[in-house]
Amino acid sequence: MSRIRPLAVGLLLLVCTSALRADDRPLAQGVRGLATRAPNGMKIDGDLSEFRDAFCTPVEYFNGNVRNRAAQFFYMWDDEAFYAGLRTLDEKQADNAPDDRLWEGDAVEWYFDTRRGDGFRNTKWEKGAVHCYWTGYKNDKVEPRFCLRPGYLDAIAKIGIEVGAKKTAYGAEVEFKLPWANFPNFKPSEGAVIALDAELCYSDGGPRVFRSFAYGSPLSVEQPASQAKIQLVEKLERSYWKQCGPVMMPIRVDTPWSQPTAAHAYGQIALPPNQLDTVGKIVFRLTDLDGATLGEFEAAREVIEKEGNFVKAMAHWPIDIAAPGGSQVTAIVYDSNGKELTRVAPRLVSVNMAPGY
């Protein structure tokens, strides 16, 4: 009987390892979001077409003032920089704040941590972790601006930072470039994990009146430990949906105060704008506190704004089926072939101007 030589075994293992599909490679433990690879030739000009395949986190799709609040954050990276994109629905665009207090107008508060070892996501702001702000406006005109948090002006050297913006018929698009040169102790590579939070500030033409966080809460202002783990990847793979679905497709469950029928509860879920064709059926499953299913209700899509692919889905059910405080709700998302992509629960965290869900 012939014997397989060690060299042949080694080659066989190499071939098998190389053949391992990217969507079979798990994300790092605790990762909640992604940054996908940026295309070549990135230009920071306010045109988000380069972000068409980027990982996205929708915010405020369920706001009662949705035409003036809904937005999409996009995340990408390459060997030179980290890139963020923002698309907003905004009827009252302005940032009247001075250059060192941009958060008082329509702007982004940006939280970012590249530290390694025990310093990563600890409770202190220090070198390697930056809290900064960027906006597309000065007053009501397009004039991109950037500043660091007062008291931490030496957090980074501000090397090569760029902000670009343009107004649209429905709001605005803003791009942000943060070069890795500002973080000399971090080397970008596929699979590396950093941390961030993205907060959108709204002013409606005056001082700040509203704020919304993509990952955390106002605790992110106080400590980097509130930020989410983000992995640098080549692209969004199908297997990543299970872990990242809760930020890709946040949900909200509530009972509207005005209804044309007997009382119903409504479940809403945001759809990722770059993945509308991937998402198929969405079901809201109600369970009692022992896990027994009380009912399942399929959600129907609703277009908030066609431009920019602002789309959500909604289902509703009689409140007598599942009493508040005595039941749980889970959104189960399937792909276009009927296979499960992810499950999402309501996000029980304060994200606006005052405590409370």
Side-chain angles (χ1 to χ4, degrees):
M1 182 174 63
S2 62
R3 299 171 61 185
I4 300 177
R5 297 187 179 185
L7 178 58
V9 173
L11 289 173
L12 180 61
L13 290 173
L14 179 60
V15 169
C16 292
T17 302
S18 300
L20 182 66
R21 297 179 305 168
D23 59 4
D24 287 331
R25 301 172 194 154
L27 295 173
Q29 184 177 7
V31 163
R32 295 176 56 205
L34 310 172
T36 43
R37 178 82 68 169
N40 294 330
M42 285 289 295
K43 295 181 180 179
I44 308 303
D45 53 9
D47 181 353
L48 294 188
S49 61
E50 294 156 316
F51 286 81
R52 67 176 61 90
D53 297 320
F55 184 78
C56 177
T57 58
V59 297
E60 296 302 331
Y61 275 38
F62 323 126
N63 193 289
N65 190 15
V66 66
R67 299 292 313 184
N68 201 35
R69 291 289 183 261
Q72 303 160 350
F73 279 107
F74 301 88
Y75 313 86
M76 295 196 302
W77 73 284
D78 61 20
D79 293 341
E80 180 185 359
F82 192 97
Y83 305 92
L86 170 68
R87 179 182 290 124
T88 65
L89 299 185
D90 192 348
E91 297 173 337
K92 301 177 181 178
Q93 306 169 47
D95 191 327
N96 300 320
D99 290 346
D100 61 346
R101 300 180 63 85
L102 299 182
W103 64 90
E104 294 179 354
D106 289 350
V108 173
E109 285 203 41
W110 188 251
Y111 311 84
F112 203 71
D113 191 352
T114 66
R115 293 172 296 182
R116 305 292 86 184
D118 293 339
F120 183 55
R121 295 179 70 244
N122 69 19
T123 59
K124 297 180 179 179
W125 289 103
E126 55 193 14
K127 293 295 180 66
V130 64
H131 181 185
C132 57
Y133 315 85
W134 40 280
T135 180
Y137 310 102
K138 187 164 188 178
N139 301 320
D140 62 349
K141 307 299 182 184
V142 173
E143 186 175 326
R145 293 186 287 167
F146 170 85
C147 75
L148 291 167
R149 176 179 175 177
Y152 300 88
L153 299 180
D154 61 347
I156 58 174
K158 297 193 293 186
I159 299 169
I161 292 172
E162 297 181 52
V163 183
K166 71 174 184 180
K167 290 188 178 183
T168 64
Y170 50 82
E173 295 186 350
V174 189
E175 292 179 281
F176 174 54
K177 177 181 179 180
L178 182 58
W180 300 117
N182 291 284
F183 307 94
N185 293 325
F186 176 77
K187 303 302 179 185
S189 62
E190 185 176 353
V193 176
I194 59 174
L196 64 81
D197 203 352
E199 174 196 349
L200 185 56
C201 303
Y202 308 82
S203 68
D204 293 344
R208 181 167 68 178
V209 296
F210 199 84
R211 61 200 302 199
S212 188
F213 292 76
Y215 287 97
S217 71
L219 182 61
S220 295
V221 178
E222 180 179 324
Q223 54 176 264
S226 175
Q227 297 174 39
K229 292 182 179 180
I230 308 297
Q231 190 160 334
L232 308 185
V233 299
E234 187 67 25
K235 62 180 181 178
L236 173 61
E237 302 287 356
R238 190 189 187 285
S239 63
Y240 300 164
W241 282 71
K242 182 177 181 179
Q243 201 161 323
C244 300
V247 293
M248 296 172 65
M249 303 182 69
I251 74 172
R252 171 81 184 184
V253 178
D254 208 344
T255 303
W257 294 359
S258 177
Q259 299 190 33
T261 63
H264 277 62
Y266 281 74
Q268 302 180 75
I269 183 168
L271 272 64
N274 297 343
Q275 303 292 332
L276 296 182
D277 293 338
T278 302
V279 176
K281 182 173 70 172
I282 302 172
V283 172
F284 283 82
R285 177 179 292 171
L286 281 58
T287 56
D288 65 19
L289 300 187
D290 292 317
T293 298
L294 301 172
E296 291 190 346
F297 302 87
E298 187 171 346
R301 293 192 183 195
E302 176 183 320
V303 177
I304 302 169
E305 170 57 57
K306 183 178 180 181
E307 297 296 323
N309 290 332
F310 286 85
V311 181
K312 65 180 179 180
M314 183 183 302
H316 60 93
W317 52 87
I319 61 172
D320 291 340
I321 290 179
S327 60
Q328 305 281 7
V329 180
T330 305
I332 305 175
V333 181
Y334 299 89
D335 66 17
S336 55
N337 295 317
K339 295 182 178 180
E340 185 175 317
L341 279 171
T342 190
R343 298 189 177 200
V344 187
R347 181 179 174 185
L348 304 179
V349 62
S350 304
V351 297
N352 298 318
M353 297 288 280
Y357 167 66

